[in-house]
Amino acid sequence: MSESTGVTMEASGDLAGPSRTSGKESAYIRTIEWDMMNKTKFFPLSMLSSFSVRCCLFPLTVIKTQLQVQHKSDIYKGMIDCAMKIYQSEGVPGLYRGFWISSVQTVSGVFYISTYEGVRHILTDLGAGHRLKALAGGGCASLVGQTIIVPFDVISQHAMVLGMSAHAGSKADINPLGIKMWPGRSRFNISMDIGREILRRDGFRGFYRGYTASLMAYVPNSAMWWAFYHLYQDELCRICPAWVSHLFIQCVAGSLGGFTTTILTNPLDIVRARLQVHRLDSMSVAFRELWHEEKLNCFFKGLSARLVQSAAFSFSIILGYETIKRIAIDEQYKHQIRW
């Protein structure tokens, strides 16, 4: 830790040298560390940014989930077909099924990012490299975040797939809880019914159905995403001209990290969704059923929607996250920040 600036000096450089500052003598801060920020600014702005991104991109989550839980391609032929059928039968509200339950992730996001930055800070003191810090911090953050959010995720996903009954006919069991869909019923009442039915059938454990699958899908996903984010950021900083916005480089690196991790973890995410919605007994049962239905197509099922969702979320989240870090940074470091 540099005593003069408080900035971590690492091999790849959280501090970028003159080659990226058009010959200027002073270096700029590439990675804003946890102890450089004003937390009273960071946390509320971070929650606002996360909620705004979720509002804009939530329809992609609904589309992805419905594509993942359908049997083969019985209901939807692809992402566009799914979006059109939902919109034609339910309008815009159909694309926001389960939104308010899912928006609890805005709160869990505070614990996620606090864990990520806290682990990074601890590993900085131990002298770890920044890619190792990103990998370990991302994994630990996801473990904490999933423990908080899985119960709400289970309810939200049941709410998301209820609309499939309008175009499923008798092809699939997309309402395993038998939730009544009377005309005029509010989304809140439907969500409460889902929660009560899960509690009646499975007890409190029912809210953590698919928890192990969630950890297996999201902990590696989060760990790899942050590691790839820093990897791509380093490479882009190395090859891009000095006039290219550093914030833009970070957003592109986030999208590339999202693409990479999505391709690597897609089957695990399908298993997680099916465990939680189809109420299967175990991950092995879910894997066997998925392989029996899809064979090698299981690696690509819902992948287009998930790639679009991941790239859009990654770009938007990093845009908000890195912008807020720049706004919340302490005055003593502001002259070293590059936009």
Side-chain angles (χ1 to χ4, degrees), residues 33-176:
E33 299 291 354
W34 191 233
D35 56 354
M36 299 178 186
M37 291 186 290
N38 181 340
K39 311 305 186 296
T40 59
K41 288 183 180 179
F42 177 77
F43 282 122
L45 288 174
S46 179
M47 291 179 67
L48 178 61
S49 173
S50 177
F51 182 76
S52 300
V53 170
R54 198 164 296 280
C55 284
C56 295
L57 301 180
F58 189 77
L60 291 173
T61 303
V62 175
I63 292 167
K64 178 204 73 170
T65 301
Q66 293 202 12
L67 286 172
Q68 287 178 331
V69 301
Q70 72 172 340
H71 180 270
K72 294 187 177 180
S73 299
D74 285 347
I75 304 173
Y76 308 118
K77 304 305 179 185
M79 183 176 70
I80 303 300
D81 182 52
C82 179
M84 292 298 295
K85 285 182 176 177
I86 293 172
Y87 180 75
Q88 289 168 1
S89 62
E90 303 177 74
V92 173
L95 295 167
Y96 281 86
R97 281 189 172 276
F99 172 75
W100 290 110
I101 295 295
S102 179
S103 63
V104 175
Q105 290 188 28
T106 304
V107 177
S108 74
V110 173
F111 292 92
Y112 176 95
I113 205 62
S114 298
T115 303
Y116 172 73
E117 294 287 359
V119 170
R120 278 179 54 87
H121 184 68
I122 292 170
L123 292 178
T124 296
D125 293 339
L126 296 175
H130 76 300
R131 290 178 190 169
L132 175 60
K133 291 191 299 185
L135 186 72
C140 292
S142 184
L143 176 62
V144 172
Q146 286 302 307
T147 301
I148 297 170
I149 201 60
V150 162
F152 300 97
D153 207 23
V154 171
I155 296 173
S156 175
Q157 287 187 115
H158 276 286
M160 288 180 199
V161 301
L162 284 177
M164 293 174 71
S165 58
H167 4 90
S170 59
K171 295 179 181 178
D173 180 15
I174 40 72
N175 187 7

Side-chain angles (χ1 to χ4, degrees), residues 188-329:
F188 175 77
N189 287 334
I190 291 172
S191 297
M192 291 297 292
D193 284 352
I194 292 171
R196 281 193 291 265
E197 189 62 22
I198 291 172
L199 188 63
R200 185 185 70 81
R201 293 191 183 198
D202 303 320
F204 183 75
R205 290 181 59 186
F207 292 106
Y208 278 88
R209 178 179 289 274
Y211 176 64
T212 302
S214 291
L215 293 184
M216 290 185 66
Y218 287 133
V219 171
N221 185 292
S222 176
M224 289 190 294
W225 186 88
W226 283 105
F228 280 121
Y229 167 61
H230 282 279
L231 172 64
Y232 287 129
Q233 183 183 168
D234 288 345
E235 291 304 309
L236 288 170
C237 283
R238 184 177 60 83
I239 64 176
C240 288
W243 53 263
V244 177
S245 164
H246 184 52
L247 181 60
F248 176 74
I249 287 174
Q250 290 175 317
C251 291
V252 173
S255 295
L256 292 174
F259 269 120
T260 306
T261 54
T262 294
I263 292 169
L264 293 174
T265 62
N266 193 56
L268 286 171
D269 194 50
I270 299 172
V271 168
R272 174 200 59 80
R274 291 193 168 204
L275 266 173
Q276 293 176 340
V277 174
H278 289 174
R279 302 174 55 78
L280 302 176
D281 294 331
S282 66
M283 286 188 65
S284 61
V285 172
F287 267 119
R288 284 198 300 271
E289 182 180 284
L290 181 62
W291 181 258
H292 177 72
E293 289 180 11
E294 308 288 345
K295 296 295 188 291
L296 290 176
N297 194 47
C298 69
F299 292 98
F300 308 103
K301 189 176 182 65
L303 183 60
S304 59
R306 197 165 174 239
L307 283 172
V308 172
Q309 180 208 33
S310 178
F313 262 100
S314 296
F315 188 96
S316 304
I317 289 294
I318 285 297
L319 178 62
Y321 173 66
E322 295 291 354
T323 299
I324 289 165
K325 288 177 76 173
R326 285 165 168 78
I327 293 171
I329 196 169

